[in-house]
Amino acid sequence: MRAWWVGQPGPIVSHPLVLGDRPDPQPAAGELLLDVQVCGVCRTDLHLAEGDLVPRHSRVVPGHEIVGIVREAGPGCSKFEPGDRVGVPWLGSVCGICRFCRRGDENLCLAPAFTGWDRDGGYAELVTAAEDFVYRIPPNLADEHAAPLLCSGIIGYRALKRSALPPGGRLGIYGFGGSAHLTAQMARHMGASVYVMTRSSEARALALELGAVFVGGPTEAPPEPLDSAILFAPVGDLVPVAMRALDRGGTLAVAGIHLTDIPSLHYETDLFQERQLRSVTANTRTDGEEFLKLAAEMELRPTTTMYAFAAADQALEDLARDRVTGTAVLRIQGLG
């Protein structure tokens, strides 16, 4: 099969991804073998390629927003059959026995495996995935629209839950890429007012198109105190900015897996009056099931930019340069 893998991690302009031939993977017990149709391009893939996330094994294949068709089911599989369309997310497996798994917080598992980091991912023509950790894709979601939902959408959904947004509340969003523009639509669907702070003029235009009541620069103060906020930009300097924008009792959820250092917080202005700062770590399978049901009901449609399989490195460079509006998606089958 043809695949992209991380060669020597480094700045994306140094072309850390390598395109070449790899042996076809074979499904183990409890695994599915998929023909990859499309794969979303996530900022986590960029962090992996550039070395902010250290690859868990050499020549790892990135990609964890995968829509594929089941080619073969390994021994012990019973949920899916050849020909079924499924989605493979970031969470690839959990141990099932640690204290966090036992209490239902599998996103905090002590021995998880992640697609496109521990396991080879979807920047390839074929991929294997544990059957218990894939989702059936709702029939009313096209491949290119379903792919971003499998990470950007699910993480946005969990971040929205972690932000403790009250009914009809005011939600601030810092950074407005793939996950943020989906979260804004969910929040609007739930009756919230959305305030977007981002540096990209194209993203500001999209935010207004999606119903934001205010758009501004990343450090600009919204016109009203926020009930909740989500930080999607991987910029620690924005944490105090977002905390100061919160109303009393407000909550900031930090959604990224990687964040630059957070500067000192001033207790009285940034934390006092029961303001809360929370992180977001992966997701549970329940999050994914809940979110995909919601996405199908509200016919959530991500804004996507399609790239040919051969242009995966260009897609990552465009993402690094904020040249992608919405979510970049690789068409693995059909465009070369």
Side-chain angles (χ1 to χ4, degrees), residues 44 48 53 56-57 60-64 66 88-94 106-121 133 155 257 281-283:
T44 301
L48 181 70
L53 290 180
R56 293 284 178 83
H57 63 85
V60 64
V61 177
H64 55 274
I66 306 165
V88 183
W90 171 240
L91 185 64
S93 67
V94 296
E106 65 183 12
N107 62 305
L108 303 178
C109 175
L110 295 174
F114 298 104
T115 309
W117 192 16
D118 299 284
R119 302 176 59 103
D120 284 336
F133 287 81
I155 291 299
I257 190 173
T281 301
N283 62 272

PDB file of all heavy atoms in Angstrom, residues 44 48 53 56-57 60-64 66 88-94 106-121 133 155 257 281-283:
ATOM      1  N   THR A  44      -3.044  17.916  15.563  1.00  0.00           N
ATOM      2  CA  THR A  44      -2.228  16.923  16.256  1.00  0.00           C
ATOM      3  C   THR A  44      -1.271  16.238  15.291  1.00  0.00           C
ATOM      4  O   THR A  44      -0.134  15.907  15.645  1.00  0.00           O
ATOM      5  CB  THR A  44      -3.134  15.881  16.946  1.00  0.00           C
ATOM      6  OG1 THR A  44      -3.994  16.555  17.862  1.00  0.00           O
ATOM      7  CG2 THR A  44      -2.308  14.854  17.706  1.00  0.00           C
ATOM      8  N   LEU A  48       2.793  16.070  15.642  1.00  0.00           N
ATOM      9  CA  LEU A  48       3.543  14.825  15.514  1.00  0.00           C
ATOM     10  C   LEU A  48       4.657  14.964  14.478  1.00  0.00           C
ATOM     11  O   LEU A  48       5.804  14.578  14.720  1.00  0.00           O
ATOM     12  CB  LEU A  48       2.588  13.690  15.128  1.00  0.00           C
ATOM     13  CG  LEU A  48       3.204  12.305  14.984  1.00  0.00           C
ATOM     14  CD1 LEU A  48       3.624  11.764  16.338  1.00  0.00           C
ATOM     15  CD2 LEU A  48       2.200  11.351  14.320  1.00  0.00           C
ATOM     16  N   LEU A  53       4.866  16.394  19.552  1.00  0.00           N
ATOM     17  CA  LEU A  53       4.523  15.079  20.088  1.00  0.00           C
ATOM     18  C   LEU A  53       5.579  14.108  19.585  1.00  0.00           C
ATOM     19  O   LEU A  53       5.755  13.970  18.373  1.00  0.00           O
ATOM     20  CB  LEU A  53       3.148  14.615  19.605  1.00  0.00           C
ATOM     21  CG  LEU A  53       1.907  15.325  20.138  1.00  0.00           C
ATOM     22  CD1 LEU A  53       0.671  14.696  19.526  1.00  0.00           C
ATOM     23  CD2 LEU A  53       1.855  15.251  21.643  1.00  0.00           C
ATOM     24  N   ARG A  56       5.597   7.604  18.821  1.00  0.00           N
ATOM     25  CA  ARG A  56       5.682   6.458  19.721  1.00  0.00           C
ATOM     26  C   ARG A  56       6.457   5.296  19.093  1.00  0.00           C
ATOM     27  O   ARG A  56       6.885   4.397  19.798  1.00  0.00           O
ATOM     28  CB  ARG A  56       4.276   6.007  20.114  1.00  0.00           C
ATOM     29  CG  ARG A  56       3.533   7.043  20.982  1.00  0.00           C
ATOM     30  CD  ARG A  56       4.041   7.044  22.421  1.00  0.00           C
ATOM     31  NE  ARG A  56       3.404   8.034  23.255  1.00  0.00           N
ATOM     32  CZ  ARG A  56       2.227   7.886  23.861  1.00  0.00           C
ATOM     33  NH1 ARG A  56       1.514   6.791  23.677  1.00  0.00           N
ATOM     34  NH2 ARG A  56       1.753   8.835  24.633  1.00  0.00           N
ATOM     35  N   HIS A  57       6.577   5.283  17.767  1.00  0.00           N
ATOM     36  CA  HIS A  57       7.433   4.304  17.110  1.00  0.00           C
ATOM     37  C   HIS A  57       7.917   4.897  15.795  1.00  0.00           C
ATOM     38  O   HIS A  57       7.350   5.863  15.277  1.00  0.00           O
ATOM     39  CB  HIS A  57       6.726   2.957  16.900  1.00  0.00           C
ATOM     40  CG  HIS A  57       5.526   3.010  15.992  1.00  0.00           C
ATOM     41  ND1 HIS A  57       5.625   2.930  14.620  1.00  0.00           N
ATOM     42  CD2 HIS A  57       4.209   3.116  16.264  1.00  0.00           C
ATOM     43  CE1 HIS A  57       4.416   2.980  14.088  1.00  0.00           C
ATOM     44  NE2 HIS A  57       3.540   3.103  15.067  1.00  0.00           N
ATOM     45  N   VAL A  60       5.935   6.126  12.012  1.00  0.00           N
ATOM     46  CA  VAL A  60       4.510   6.066  12.320  1.00  0.00           C
ATOM     47  C   VAL A  60       3.719   6.800  11.246  1.00  0.00           C
ATOM     48  O   VAL A  60       4.124   7.858  10.747  1.00  0.00           O
ATOM     49  CB  VAL A  60       4.223   6.650  13.719  1.00  0.00           C
ATOM     50  CG1 VAL A  60       4.566   8.142  13.801  1.00  0.00           C
ATOM     51  CG2 VAL A  60       2.774   6.426  14.116  1.00  0.00           C
ATOM     52  N   VAL A  61       2.575   6.238  10.876  1.00  0.00           N
ATOM     53  CA  VAL A  61       1.668   6.835   9.892  1.00  0.00           C
ATOM     54  C   VAL A  61       0.665   7.707  10.640  1.00  0.00           C
ATOM     55  O   VAL A  61      -0.065   7.207  11.510  1.00  0.00           O
ATOM     56  CB  VAL A  61       0.924   5.745   9.098  1.00  0.00           C
ATOM     57  CG1 VAL A  61      -0.081   6.380   8.130  1.00  0.00           C
ATOM     58  CG2 VAL A  61       1.910   4.865   8.338  1.00  0.00           C
ATOM     59  N   PRO A  62       0.619   9.015  10.371  1.00  0.00           N
ATOM     60  CA  PRO A  62      -0.342   9.885  11.068  1.00  0.00           C
ATOM     61  C   PRO A  62      -1.771   9.656  10.578  1.00  0.00           C
ATOM     62  O   PRO A  62      -2.018   8.893   9.642  1.00  0.00           O
ATOM     63  CB  PRO A  62       0.132  11.298  10.710  1.00  0.00           C
ATOM     64  CG  PRO A  62       1.452  11.132  10.018  1.00  0.00           C
ATOM     65  CD  PRO A  62       1.460   9.768   9.436  1.00  0.00           C
ATOM     66  N   GLY A  63      -2.686  10.376  11.219  1.00  0.00           N
ATOM     67  CA  GLY A  63      -4.067  10.415  10.751  1.00  0.00           C
ATOM     68  C   GLY A  63      -5.032   9.671  11.646  1.00  0.00           C
ATOM     69  O   GLY A  63      -4.900   8.456  11.820  1.00  0.00           O
ATOM     70  N   HIS A  64      -6.008  10.375  12.198  1.00  0.00           N
ATOM     71  CA  HIS A  64      -6.947   9.753  13.120  1.00  0.00           C
ATOM     72  C   HIS A  64      -8.368  10.273  12.931  1.00  0.00           C
ATOM     73  O   HIS A  64      -9.180  10.216  13.858  1.00  0.00           O
ATOM     74  CB  HIS A  64      -6.492   9.987  14.567  1.00  0.00           C
ATOM     75  CG  HIS A  64      -6.280  11.430  14.900  1.00  0.00           C
ATOM     76  ND1 HIS A  64      -5.102  12.073  14.667  1.00  0.00           N
ATOM     77  CD2 HIS A  64      -7.124  12.343  15.418  1.00  0.00           C
ATOM     78  CE1 HIS A  64      -5.218  13.344  15.036  1.00  0.00           C
ATOM     79  NE2 HIS A  64      -6.446  13.530  15.496  1.00  0.00           N
ATOM     80  N   ILE A  66     -10.562   9.048  10.289  1.00  0.00           N
ATOM     81  CA  ILE A  66     -10.572   8.115   9.158  1.00  0.00           C
ATOM     82  C   ILE A  66     -11.984   7.638   8.867  1.00  0.00           C
ATOM     83  O   ILE A  66     -12.691   7.170   9.760  1.00  0.00           O
ATOM     84  CB  ILE A  66      -9.687   6.886   9.471  1.00  0.00           C
ATOM     85  CG1 ILE A  66      -8.276   7.314   9.881  1.00  0.00           C
ATOM     86  CG2 ILE A  66      -9.643   5.938   8.285  1.00  0.00           C
ATOM     87  CD1 ILE A  66      -7.475   6.202  10.542  1.00  0.00           C
ATOM     88  N   VAL A  88     -12.805   5.782  12.210  1.00  0.00           N
ATOM     89  CA  VAL A  88     -11.757   5.477  13.190  1.00  0.00           C
ATOM     90  C   VAL A  88     -11.315   6.779  13.842  1.00  0.00           C
ATOM     91  O   VAL A  88     -10.844   7.688  13.154  1.00  0.00           O
ATOM     92  CB  VAL A  88     -10.554   4.785  12.528  1.00  0.00           C
ATOM     93  CG1 VAL A  88      -9.506   4.410  13.579  1.00  0.00           C
ATOM     94  CG2 VAL A  88     -11.000   3.555  11.749  1.00  0.00           C
ATOM     95  N   PRO A  89     -11.419   6.895  15.162  1.00  0.00           N
ATOM     96  CA  PRO A  89     -11.095   8.135  15.861  1.00  0.00           C
ATOM     97  C   PRO A  89      -9.698   8.099  16.478  1.00  0.00           C
ATOM     98  O   PRO A  89      -8.930   7.134  16.323  1.00  0.00           O
ATOM     99  CB  PRO A  89     -12.163   8.182  16.945  1.00  0.00           C
ATOM    100  CG  PRO A  89     -12.300   6.738  17.342  1.00  0.00           C
ATOM    101  CD  PRO A  89     -12.080   5.935  16.068  1.00  0.00           C
ATOM    102  N   TRP A  90      -9.372   9.147  17.225  1.00  0.00           N
ATOM    103  CA  TRP A  90      -8.092   9.298  17.927  1.00  0.00           C
ATOM    104  C   TRP A  90      -7.894   8.192  18.966  1.00  0.00           C
ATOM    105  O   TRP A  90      -6.825   7.577  19.037  1.00  0.00           O
ATOM    106  CB  TRP A  90      -8.074  10.677  18.572  1.00  0.00           C
ATOM    107  CG  TRP A  90      -6.967  11.000  19.527  1.00  0.00           C
ATOM    108  CD1 TRP A  90      -7.112  11.337  20.844  1.00  0.00           C
ATOM    109  CD2 TRP A  90      -5.557  11.086  19.258  1.00  0.00           C
ATOM    110  NE1 TRP A  90      -5.884  11.620  21.410  1.00  0.00           N
ATOM    111  CE2 TRP A  90      -4.913  11.474  20.447  1.00  0.00           C
ATOM    112  CE3 TRP A  90      -4.778  10.875  18.117  1.00  0.00           C
ATOM    113  CZ2 TRP A  90      -3.540  11.656  20.556  1.00  0.00           C
ATOM    114  CZ3 TRP A  90      -3.401  11.048  18.217  1.00  0.00           C
ATOM    115  CH2 TRP A  90      -2.794  11.438  19.417  1.00  0.00           C
ATOM    116  N   LEU A  91      -8.914   7.913  19.784  1.00  0.00           N
ATOM    117  CA  LEU A  91      -8.789   6.895  20.811  1.00  0.00           C
ATOM    118  C   LEU A  91      -8.827   5.518  20.164  1.00  0.00           C
ATOM    119  O   LEU A  91      -9.860   5.070  19.667  1.00  0.00           O
ATOM    120  CB  LEU A  91      -9.912   7.028  21.843  1.00  0.00           C
ATOM    121  CG  LEU A  91      -9.830   6.094  23.056  1.00  0.00           C
ATOM    122  CD1 LEU A  91      -8.590   6.400  23.897  1.00  0.00           C
ATOM    123  CD2 LEU A  91     -11.089   6.208  23.915  1.00  0.00           C
ATOM    124  N   GLY A  92      -7.666   4.831  20.187  1.00  0.00           N
ATOM    125  CA  GLY A  92      -7.563   3.545  19.508  1.00  0.00           C
ATOM    126  C   GLY A  92      -7.840   2.347  20.380  1.00  0.00           C
ATOM    127  O   GLY A  92      -8.346   1.330  19.899  1.00  0.00           O
ATOM    128  N   SER A  93      -7.523   2.441  21.673  1.00  0.00           N
ATOM    129  CA  SER A  93      -7.829   1.365  22.619  1.00  0.00           C
ATOM    130  C   SER A  93      -7.525   1.855  24.030  1.00  0.00           C
ATOM    131  O   SER A  93      -6.825   2.855  24.217  1.00  0.00           O
ATOM    132  CB  SER A  93      -7.016   0.097  22.327  1.00  0.00           C
ATOM    133  OG  SER A  93      -5.641   0.303  22.576  1.00  0.00           O
ATOM    134  N   VAL A  94      -8.071   1.152  25.015  1.00  0.00           N
ATOM    135  CA  VAL A  94      -7.766   1.407  26.421  1.00  0.00           C
ATOM    136  C   VAL A  94      -7.523   0.064  27.099  1.00  0.00           C
ATOM    137  O   VAL A  94      -7.881  -0.989  26.571  1.00  0.00           O
ATOM    138  CB  VAL A  94      -8.899   2.182  27.135  1.00  0.00           C
ATOM    139  CG1 VAL A  94      -9.071   3.563  26.536  1.00  0.00           C
ATOM    140  CG2 VAL A  94     -10.214   1.393  27.084  1.00  0.00           C
ATOM    141  N   GLU A 106     -12.564   6.349  30.672  1.00  0.00           N
ATOM    142  CA  GLU A 106     -11.559   5.690  29.853  1.00  0.00           C
ATOM    143  C   GLU A 106     -10.664   6.672  29.104  1.00  0.00           C
ATOM    144  O   GLU A 106      -9.569   6.307  28.671  1.00  0.00           O
ATOM    145  CB  GLU A 106     -12.212   4.720  28.876  1.00  0.00           C
ATOM    146  CG  GLU A 106     -13.105   5.373  27.832  1.00  0.00           C
ATOM    147  CD  GLU A 106     -13.784   4.350  26.930  1.00  0.00           C
ATOM    148  OE1 GLU A 106     -13.732   3.136  27.271  1.00  0.00           O
ATOM    149  OE2 GLU A 106     -14.359   4.758  25.906  1.00  0.00           O
ATOM    150  N   ASN A 107     -11.092   7.922  28.980  1.00  0.00           N
ATOM    151  CA  ASN A 107     -10.225   8.925  28.355  1.00  0.00           C
ATOM    152  C   ASN A 107      -8.990   9.218  29.205  1.00  0.00           C
ATOM    153  O   ASN A 107      -8.009   9.777  28.702  1.00  0.00           O
ATOM    154  CB  ASN A 107     -10.998  10.224  28.105  1.00  0.00           C
ATOM    155  CG  ASN A 107     -11.502  10.863  29.384  1.00  0.00           C
ATOM    156  OD1 ASN A 107     -12.201  10.217  30.174  1.00  0.00           O
ATOM    157  ND2 ASN A 107     -11.170  12.117  29.605  1.00  0.00           N
ATOM    158  N   LEU A 108      -9.020   8.825  30.477  1.00  0.00           N
ATOM    159  CA  LEU A 108      -7.880   9.010  31.378  1.00  0.00           C
ATOM    160  C   LEU A 108      -7.109   7.709  31.609  1.00  0.00           C
ATOM    161  O   LEU A 108      -6.276   7.627  32.512  1.00  0.00           O
ATOM    162  CB  LEU A 108      -8.355   9.578  32.720  1.00  0.00           C
ATOM    163  CG  LEU A 108      -9.115  10.906  32.661  1.00  0.00           C
ATOM    164  CD1 LEU A 108      -9.556  11.323  34.054  1.00  0.00           C
ATOM    165  CD2 LEU A 108      -8.267  11.996  32.025  1.00  0.00           C
ATOM    166  N   CYS A 109      -7.373   6.710  30.803  1.00  0.00           N
ATOM    167  CA  CYS A 109      -6.738   5.395  30.933  1.00  0.00           C
ATOM    168  C   CYS A 109      -5.228   5.525  31.099  1.00  0.00           C
ATOM    169  O   CYS A 109      -4.583   6.364  30.457  1.00  0.00           O
ATOM    170  CB  CYS A 109      -7.063   4.547  29.702  1.00  0.00           C
ATOM    171  SG  CYS A 109      -6.221   2.952  29.644  1.00  0.00           S
ATOM    172  N   LEU A 110      -4.661   4.662  31.937  1.00  0.00           N
ATOM    173  CA  LEU A 110      -3.223   4.691  32.191  1.00  0.00           C
ATOM    174  C   LEU A 110      -2.408   4.029  31.083  1.00  0.00           C
ATOM    175  O   LEU A 110      -1.192   4.213  31.027  1.00  0.00           O
ATOM    176  CB  LEU A 110      -2.924   4.009  33.529  1.00  0.00           C
ATOM    177  CG  LEU A 110      -3.486   4.716  34.768  1.00  0.00           C
ATOM    178  CD1 LEU A 110      -3.247   3.883  36.014  1.00  0.00           C
ATOM    179  CD2 LEU A 110      -2.879   6.112  34.923  1.00  0.00           C
ATOM    180  N   ALA A 111      -3.068   3.270  30.213  1.00  0.00           N
ATOM    181  CA  ALA A 111      -2.335   2.596  29.128  1.00  0.00           C
ATOM    182  C   ALA A 111      -3.149   2.622  27.843  1.00  0.00           C
ATOM    183  O   ALA A 111      -3.470   1.578  27.274  1.00  0.00           O
ATOM    184  CB  ALA A 111      -2.006   1.162  29.529  1.00  0.00           C
ATOM    185  N   PRO A 112      -3.480   3.822  27.350  1.00  0.00           N
ATOM    186  CA  PRO A 112      -4.250   3.906  26.115  1.00  0.00           C
ATOM    187  C   PRO A 112      -3.344   3.765  24.897  1.00  0.00           C
ATOM    188  O   PRO A 112      -2.118   3.845  24.989  1.00  0.00           O
ATOM    189  CB  PRO A 112      -4.849   5.316  26.183  1.00  0.00           C
ATOM    190  CG  PRO A 112      -3.765   6.105  26.860  1.00  0.00           C
ATOM    191  CD  PRO A 112      -3.148   5.159  27.874  1.00  0.00           C
ATOM    192  N   ALA A 113      -3.967   3.574  23.749  1.00  0.00           N
ATOM    193  CA  ALA A 113      -3.259   3.656  22.470  1.00  0.00           C
ATOM    194  C   ALA A 113      -4.056   4.572  21.561  1.00  0.00           C
ATOM    195  O   ALA A 113      -5.295   4.532  21.553  1.00  0.00           O
ATOM    196  CB  ALA A 113      -3.105   2.272  21.834  1.00  0.00           C
ATOM    197  N   PHE A 114      -3.352   5.417  20.818  1.00  0.00           N
ATOM    198  CA  PHE A 114      -3.998   6.421  19.988  1.00  0.00           C
ATOM    199  C   PHE A 114      -3.693   6.188  18.509  1.00  0.00           C
ATOM    200  O   PHE A 114      -2.555   5.875  18.138  1.00  0.00           O
ATOM    201  CB  PHE A 114      -3.561   7.826  20.414  1.00  0.00           C
ATOM    202  CG  PHE A 114      -3.959   8.169  21.829  1.00  0.00           C
ATOM    203  CD1 PHE A 114      -3.029   8.158  22.844  1.00  0.00           C
ATOM    204  CD2 PHE A 114      -5.272   8.471  22.127  1.00  0.00           C
ATOM    205  CE1 PHE A 114      -3.385   8.454  24.151  1.00  0.00           C
ATOM    206  CE2 PHE A 114      -5.656   8.767  23.423  1.00  0.00           C
ATOM    207  CZ  PHE A 114      -4.710   8.762  24.447  1.00  0.00           C
ATOM    208  N   THR A 115      -4.726   6.366  17.707  1.00  0.00           N
ATOM    209  CA  THR A 115      -4.591   6.194  16.265  1.00  0.00           C
ATOM    210  C   THR A 115      -3.696   7.290  15.696  1.00  0.00           C
ATOM    211  O   THR A 115      -3.869   8.469  16.011  1.00  0.00           O
ATOM    212  CB  THR A 115      -5.970   6.260  15.595  1.00  0.00           C
ATOM    213  OG1 THR A 115      -6.869   5.360  16.256  1.00  0.00           O
ATOM    214  CG2 THR A 115      -5.885   5.908  14.122  1.00  0.00           C
ATOM    215  N   GLY A 116      -2.759   6.900  14.850  1.00  0.00           N
ATOM    216  CA  GLY A 116      -1.867   7.871  14.237  1.00  0.00           C
ATOM    217  C   GLY A 116      -0.759   8.346  15.155  1.00  0.00           C
ATOM    218  O   GLY A 116      -0.040   9.289  14.811  1.00  0.00           O
ATOM    219  N   TRP A 117      -0.602   7.688  16.314  1.00  0.00           N
ATOM    220  CA  TRP A 117       0.490   8.003  17.243  1.00  0.00           C
ATOM    221  C   TRP A 117       1.104   6.701  17.754  1.00  0.00           C
ATOM    222  O   TRP A 117       2.252   6.399  17.500  1.00  0.00           O
ATOM    223  CB  TRP A 117      -0.019   8.869  18.391  1.00  0.00           C
ATOM    224  CG  TRP A 117       1.052   9.478  19.246  1.00  0.00           C
ATOM    225  CD1 TRP A 117       2.383   9.606  18.942  1.00  0.00           C
ATOM    226  CD2 TRP A 117       0.890  10.059  20.546  1.00  0.00           C
ATOM    227  NE1 TRP A 117       3.058  10.224  19.967  1.00  0.00           N
ATOM    228  CE2 TRP A 117       2.165  10.520  20.969  1.00  0.00           C
ATOM    229  CE3 TRP A 117      -0.200  10.249  21.383  1.00  0.00           C
ATOM    230  CZ2 TRP A 117       2.370  11.131  22.199  1.00  0.00           C
ATOM    231  CZ3 TRP A 117       0.005  10.867  22.612  1.00  0.00           C
ATOM    232  CH2 TRP A 117       1.267  11.308  23.009  1.00  0.00           C
ATOM    233  N   ASP A 118       0.276   5.890  18.452  1.00  0.00           N
ATOM    234  CA  ASP A 118       0.717   4.551  18.844  1.00  0.00           C
ATOM    235  C   ASP A 118       0.473   3.543  17.718  1.00  0.00           C
ATOM    236  O   ASP A 118       1.311   2.685  17.444  1.00  0.00           O
ATOM    237  CB  ASP A 118      -0.041   4.080  20.092  1.00  0.00           C
ATOM    238  CG  ASP A 118       0.197   4.978  21.285  1.00  0.00           C
ATOM    239  OD1 ASP A 118       1.273   4.887  21.886  1.00  0.00           O
ATOM    240  OD2 ASP A 118      -0.700   5.775  21.607  1.00  0.00           O
ATOM    241  N   ARG A 119      -0.707   3.643  17.119  1.00  0.00           N
ATOM    242  CA  ARG A 119      -1.088   2.780  15.998  1.00  0.00           C
ATOM    243  C   ARG A 119      -0.957   3.568  14.708  1.00  0.00           C
ATOM    244  O   ARG A 119      -1.210   4.783  14.691  1.00  0.00           O
ATOM    245  CB  ARG A 119      -2.539   2.326  16.137  1.00  0.00           C
ATOM    246  CG  ARG A 119      -2.890   1.575  17.396  1.00  0.00           C
ATOM    247  CD  ARG A 119      -4.373   1.280  17.432  1.00  0.00           C
ATOM    248  NE  ARG A 119      -4.777   0.486  16.272  1.00  0.00           N
ATOM    249  CZ  ARG A 119      -5.020  -0.833  16.309  1.00  0.00           C
ATOM    250  NH1 ARG A 119      -4.905  -1.494  17.443  1.00  0.00           N
ATOM    251  NH2 ARG A 119      -5.378  -1.480  15.231  1.00  0.00           N
ATOM    252  N   ASP A 120      -0.584   2.909  13.624  1.00  0.00           N
ATOM    253  CA  ASP A 120      -0.549   3.588  12.336  1.00  0.00           C
ATOM    254  C   ASP A 120      -1.943   4.070  11.972  1.00  0.00           C
ATOM    255  O   ASP A 120      -2.949   3.387  12.208  1.00  0.00           O
ATOM    256  CB  ASP A 120      -0.017   2.649  11.251  1.00  0.00           C
ATOM    257  CG  ASP A 120       1.495   2.468  11.325  1.00  0.00           C
ATOM    258  OD1 ASP A 120       2.170   3.362  11.867  1.00  0.00           O
ATOM    259  OD2 ASP A 120       1.998   1.436  10.840  1.00  0.00           O
ATOM    260  N   GLY A 121      -1.984   5.271  11.380  1.00  0.00           N
ATOM    261  CA  GLY A 121      -3.251   5.919  11.107  1.00  0.00           C
ATOM    262  C   GLY A 121      -3.648   5.941   9.649  1.00  0.00           C
ATOM    263  O   GLY A 121      -3.257   5.080   8.853  1.00  0.00           O
ATOM    264  N   PHE A 133     -13.505   0.110  18.927  1.00  0.00           N
ATOM    265  CA  PHE A 133     -13.199   1.535  19.006  1.00  0.00           C
ATOM    266  C   PHE A 133     -13.472   2.267  17.699  1.00  0.00           C
ATOM    267  O   PHE A 133     -12.967   3.367  17.482  1.00  0.00           O
ATOM    268  CB  PHE A 133     -11.744   1.739  19.461  1.00  0.00           C
ATOM    269  CG  PHE A 133     -11.545   1.426  20.913  1.00  0.00           C
ATOM    270  CD1 PHE A 133     -11.387   0.114  21.338  1.00  0.00           C
ATOM    271  CD2 PHE A 133     -11.575   2.425  21.875  1.00  0.00           C
ATOM    272  CE1 PHE A 133     -11.232  -0.198  22.686  1.00  0.00           C
ATOM    273  CE2 PHE A 133     -11.430   2.133  23.213  1.00  0.00           C
ATOM    274  CZ  PHE A 133     -11.256   0.814  23.625  1.00  0.00           C
ATOM    275  N   ILE A 155     -13.922  15.957  19.988  1.00  0.00           N
ATOM    276  CA  ILE A 155     -13.192  16.737  20.987  1.00  0.00           C
ATOM    277  C   ILE A 155     -13.916  18.054  21.269  1.00  0.00           C
ATOM    278  O   ILE A 155     -13.994  18.509  22.414  1.00  0.00           O
ATOM    279  CB  ILE A 155     -11.751  16.995  20.535  1.00  0.00           C
ATOM    280  CG1 ILE A 155     -10.960  15.685  20.550  1.00  0.00           C
ATOM    281  CG2 ILE A 155     -11.075  18.026  21.427  1.00  0.00           C
ATOM    282  CD1 ILE A 155     -10.850  15.034  21.922  1.00  0.00           C
ATOM    283  N   ILE A 257      -4.169  19.060  22.754  1.00  0.00           N
ATOM    284  CA  ILE A 257      -3.274  18.078  23.346  1.00  0.00           C
ATOM    285  C   ILE A 257      -1.905  18.687  23.597  1.00  0.00           C
ATOM    286  O   ILE A 257      -1.123  18.199  24.403  1.00  0.00           O
ATOM    287  CB  ILE A 257      -3.158  16.836  22.430  1.00  0.00           C
ATOM    288  CG1 ILE A 257      -2.419  15.700  23.147  1.00  0.00           C
ATOM    289  CG2 ILE A 257      -2.478  17.181  21.120  1.00  0.00           C
ATOM    290  CD1 ILE A 257      -2.408  14.403  22.379  1.00  0.00           C
ATOM    291  N   THR A 281      -9.036  16.018  27.917  1.00  0.00           N
ATOM    292  CA  THR A 281      -8.157  14.915  27.562  1.00  0.00           C
ATOM    293  C   THR A 281      -8.929  13.868  26.763  1.00  0.00           C
ATOM    294  O   THR A 281      -9.810  13.185  27.306  1.00  0.00           O
ATOM    295  CB  THR A 281      -7.556  14.258  28.821  1.00  0.00           C
ATOM    296  OG1 THR A 281      -6.818  15.242  29.552  1.00  0.00           O
ATOM    297  CG2 THR A 281      -6.630  13.108  28.449  1.00  0.00           C
ATOM    298  N   ALA A 282      -8.612  13.782  25.474  1.00  0.00           N
ATOM    299  CA  ALA A 282      -9.208  12.779  24.591  1.00  0.00           C
ATOM    300  C   ALA A 282     -10.733  12.758  24.744  1.00  0.00           C
ATOM    301  O   ALA A 282     -11.359  13.800  24.873  1.00  0.00           O
ATOM    302  CB  ALA A 282      -8.584  11.406  24.851  1.00  0.00           C
ATOM    303  N   ASN A 283     -11.313  11.580  24.723  1.00  0.00           N
ATOM    304  CA  ASN A 283     -12.766  11.441  24.837  1.00  0.00           C
ATOM    305  C   ASN A 283     -13.073   9.997  25.186  1.00  0.00           C
ATOM    306  O   ASN A 283     -12.223   9.103  25.059  1.00  0.00           O
ATOM    307  CB  ASN A 283     -13.462  11.810  23.525  1.00  0.00           C
ATOM    308  CG  ASN A 283     -13.065  10.903  22.379  1.00  0.00           C
ATOM    309  OD1 ASN A 283     -12.070  11.168  21.698  1.00  0.00           O
ATOM    310  ND2 ASN A 283     -13.815   9.835  22.143  1.00  0.00           N
TER     311      ASN A 283
END
